[in-house]
Amino acid sequence: QLQLQESGPGLVKPSETLSLTCTVSGDSISRSSHYWGWIRQPPGKGLEWIGNTYYTGSTYCNPSLKSRVTISVDTSKNQFSLRLSSVTAADTAVYYCARHSWVGGNHYFDYWGQGTLVTVSS
Amino acid sequence: QSVLTQPPSVSAAPGQKVTISCSGSSSNIVNNYASWYQQLPGTAPKLLIYEDNKRPSGIPDRFSGSKSGTSATLGITGLQTGDEADYYCGTWDSSLSTVVFGGGTKLTVL
């Protein structure tokens, strides 16, 4: 059974960089035809796609966040990571990692991590 | 303001049927597949429907998806109290070059 687990600091200071890692078990990132992505949800609000990566290292990001987002993959550890720079209180959210199925205009997220709350505060 | 528009809330009695709409445009819903997610309180979203109307393994046939024009619709029959959750639609927006989600609909089973 495929499982994803987010890890990283739960508190980040304003203007600093948020860093999260997603560990995948039950599937090999390097042998998968899927993408691996990040989605966030501010408290009490809806979902926002951040971006994704493929095992080759190629990445795709939400244009609204692209200037601040770095997504990378480590196939040796079966992990992928998110870095979001220059954070503000508006970046406070539950961050989810998920497996992203993407074929043409068909996008969906079929496996999700449990999510991790990241609070931006001094 | 979400690119995809969902009603903030819907309600129905146990055993009844409910539909949740997701309204978009030619740059998203019309030309790309829709998916639907169920988010129970305090948990991660769960995929209910993909490719407009397909159910992943393990999702009961009480849940269905359809699409017509600029709108996608999630249907739930035989409502149960355990169906109380937030429901989100999602798709690709070709103009924005991003995955977009609806604002979510809170289902109350009275």
Side-chain angles (χ1 to χ4, degrees):
Chain A
Q1 176 73 355
L2 178 65
Q3 292 184 319
L4 297 91
Q5 178 68 58
E6 305 89 352
S7 59
L11 180 64
V12 181
K13 290 182 169 56
S15 80
E16 296 190 345
T17 296
L18 176 160
S19 295
L20 296 174
T21 296
C22 182
T23 301
V24 178
S25 59
D27 190 11
S28 169
I29 287 179
S30 60
R31 289 198 298 271
S32 176
S33 61
H34 295 87
Y35 290 78
W36 304 90
W38 293 95
I39 299 124
R40 69 180 182 178
Q41 184 174 34
K45 296 187 178 181
L47 303 169
E48 180 181 31
W49 179 66
I50 299 171
N52 65 24
T53 186
Y54 197 56
Y55 77 91
T56 57
S58 61
T59 60
Y60 299 87
C61 295
N62 187 327
S64 69
L65 297 169
K66 189 174 183 178
S67 64
R68 299 194 291 132
V69 168
T70 302
I71 297 176
S72 59
V73 63
D74 186 338
T75 56
S76 68
K77 295 181 179 179
N78 221 35
Q79 296 175 333
F80 60 104
S81 299
L82 169 70
R83 287 171 59 85
L84 180 65
S85 64
S86 304
V87 297
T88 69
D91 295 309
T92 294
V94 175
Y95 285 76
Y96 296 101
C97 59
R99 191 173 79 169
H100 181 168
S101 290
W102 179 1
V103 179
N106 190 9
H107 291 254
Y108 58 92
F109 304 91
D110 53 359
Y111 289 91
W112 296 65
Q114 65 183 27
T116 186
L117 174 63
V118 179
T119 302
V120 178
S121 175
S122 55
Chain B
Q1 193 77 0
S2 302
V3 172
L4 303 178
T5 301
Q6 296 181 235
S9 63
V10 295
S11 61
Q16 296 300 302
K17 173 182 177 178
V18 71
T19 60
I20 299 173
S21 61
C22 174
S23 178
S25 68
S26 58
S27 66
N28 44 66
I29 290 285
V30 172
N31 291 303
N32 297 292
Y33 288 107
S35 55
W36 288 92
Y37 305 85
Q38 176 193 60
Q39 186 174 33
L40 296 170
T43 70
K46 174 183 178 181
L47 179 67
L48 287 179
I49 298 289
Y50 66 101
E51 287 184 24
D52 294 341
N53 55 22
K54 293 182 170 58
R55 282 177 288 106
S57 173
I59 300 300
D61 59 7
R62 299 190 299 109
F63 296 91
S64 64
S66 63
K67 191 172 77 174
S68 179
T70 59
S71 289
T73 301
L74 173 69
I76 311 173
T77 60
L79 278 172
Q80 303 171 1
T81 56
D83 295 332
E84 286 202 334
D86 293 324
Y87 292 83
Y88 294 90
C89 59
T91 188
W92 179 258
D93 190 293
S94 304
S95 294
L96 298 174
S97 295
T98 185
V99 173
V100 290
F101 292 100
T105 298
K106 183 176 182 60
L107 168 64
T108 300
V109 181
L110 301 168

